[in-house]
Structures are given as C-alpha cells and as structure tokens.
Amino acid sequence: MNAREQTEVGLMVQLGIVRQLMATREAKLFANVSLNPSQFGVLNHFTHNPTRSWTVTDLAGVMEMNQPGITKVVTVLLDKKLLESGSDKEDKRRRHLKITPQGLKLCDEIIGSLLPDISHIFESWEDGEISQMHQHMEKLMRWLDEHREDIKT
C-alpha cells in the first residue's frame, strides 16, 4: 500500500469512528425528543422543498432504506399528522406524501433543541476550519450521492 492509500484508509477509519460516536451522541440527544433519529431524518428530508411530494418508493431510494422500513417510518409520521398523503391521479394505489405545517414546526423545534449541542461540538473551531470542513463534507456527500451504485471491489 502506498502513502496515499494508507492516508485514504486512515481517513475511512476515522469517518467510521466519527459515524459511531455521532450515532451514540444522537441516541442520547433524541432520548427526549418525540421522534427517533430515523423518523426525524425522513421528516427533515421534506423540509428542503416543502411543496414537493414524494412516494414511498422515491423516499426509499433517496433515504437508502428498504421499502418496509420507510413504510413503517412514514406510517408513524402520518399518524402524528407530520406528513399528509394524497392519491395519485393516474394510479390510485400510489400515494404522494407531503410535509404538513405541524411537521415543519416540529423539525424547527427539534433542530432548535439540537443547536446547543451542535454549537458545543464546534465551539473551539475557528470560522475558517468550519468553512473548510463544510466544503469537504459537501464534496464527499455530493460524490457519494452521485455514485451510489459505483462500488469498486
């Protein structure tokens, strides 16, 4: 393994550790919230474009969850009136999901409740460091999103 490959492997190991530490922290933070992290993640997805509707199949693809898993989460969000469901004009079996005003409000409230910890995490970081991290994470996120099926073995 050359030096670059060693660095890349080290980076992936660090990302795995960060993912685990964040999952543990997230579980603690969500212990006192009315949604679990999966439910919040799906609901928050709708906030990026609140007027857009999604089918369960569409959500399963973008959220990288299986159909039964996303259906379970969506059912909870519908029961809590955080999402609403409408029929497809061409196919009555197909349902279109949209976020409700209550869903938008709850997302804002949850983000507000998480903000003190987010600020705490980055309190010792300089603005430039945060900006650089944001740029690198954006680049990684975009690449992963655009190459979901492009896995080398």
Side-chain angles (χ1 to χ4, degrees):
M1 197 176 338
N2 65 37
R4 180 179 170 112
E5 290 170 332
Q6 287 177 337
T7 301
E8 291 169 348
V9 168
L11 183 58
M12 294 309 290
V13 168
Q14 288 175 332
L15 284 171
I17 293 168
V18 168
R19 181 175 43 204
Q20 180 57 54
L21 290 168
M22 288 301 297
T24 301
R25 188 175 201 92
E26 182 180 70
K28 291 175 184 174
L29 289 167
F30 274 84
N32 298 319
V33 175
S34 61
L35 298 178
N36 67 36
S38 293
Q39 294 162 351
F40 175 72
V42 170
L43 187 64
N44 191 52
H45 182 76
F46 284 85
T47 66
H48 303 294
N49 185 357
T51 61
R52 179 178 176 180
S53 67
W54 294 82
T55 65
V56 168
T57 302
D58 293 336
L59 282 174
V62 298
M63 300 301 294
E64 296 188 330
M65 295 174 72
N66 62 36
Q67 193 106 3
I70 199 77
T71 298
K72 184 177 178 184
V73 170
V74 163
T75 299
V76 169
L77 298 174
L78 287 167
D79 289 347
K80 291 180 180 239
K81 309 281 190 249
L82 303 172
L83 292 180
E84 60 188 12
S85 175
S87 296
D88 188 291
K89 292 177 177 103
E90 296 172 14
D91 184 349
K92 296 297 181 198
R93 297 167 297 169
R94 186 177 226 189
R95 310 291 290 168
H96 291 275
L97 306 164
K98 288 180 76 172
I99 194 166
T100 65
Q102 301 96 299
L104 286 167
K105 183 175 184 272
L106 182 60
C107 272
D108 283 344
E109 289 170 1
I110 291 173
I111 289 170
S113 75
L114 300 175
L115 196 52
D117 193 63
I118 293 167
S119 296
H120 179 58
I121 290 169
F122 293 107
E123 68 189 356
S124 67
W125 291 47
E126 299 292 328
D127 290 349
E129 292 173 313
I130 292 173
S131 179
Q132 283 181 347
M133 174 67 114
H134 186 267
Q135 290 170 0
H136 293 302
M137 294 300 291
E138 179 72 27
K139 184 176 182 179
L140 177 60
M141 181 182 69
R142 192 173 34 255
W143 191 95
L144 290 169
D145 187 39
E146 292 169 358
H147 297 86
R148 291 176 188 237
E149 302 302 322
D150 182 13
I151 298 173
K152 304 287 184 202
T153 55

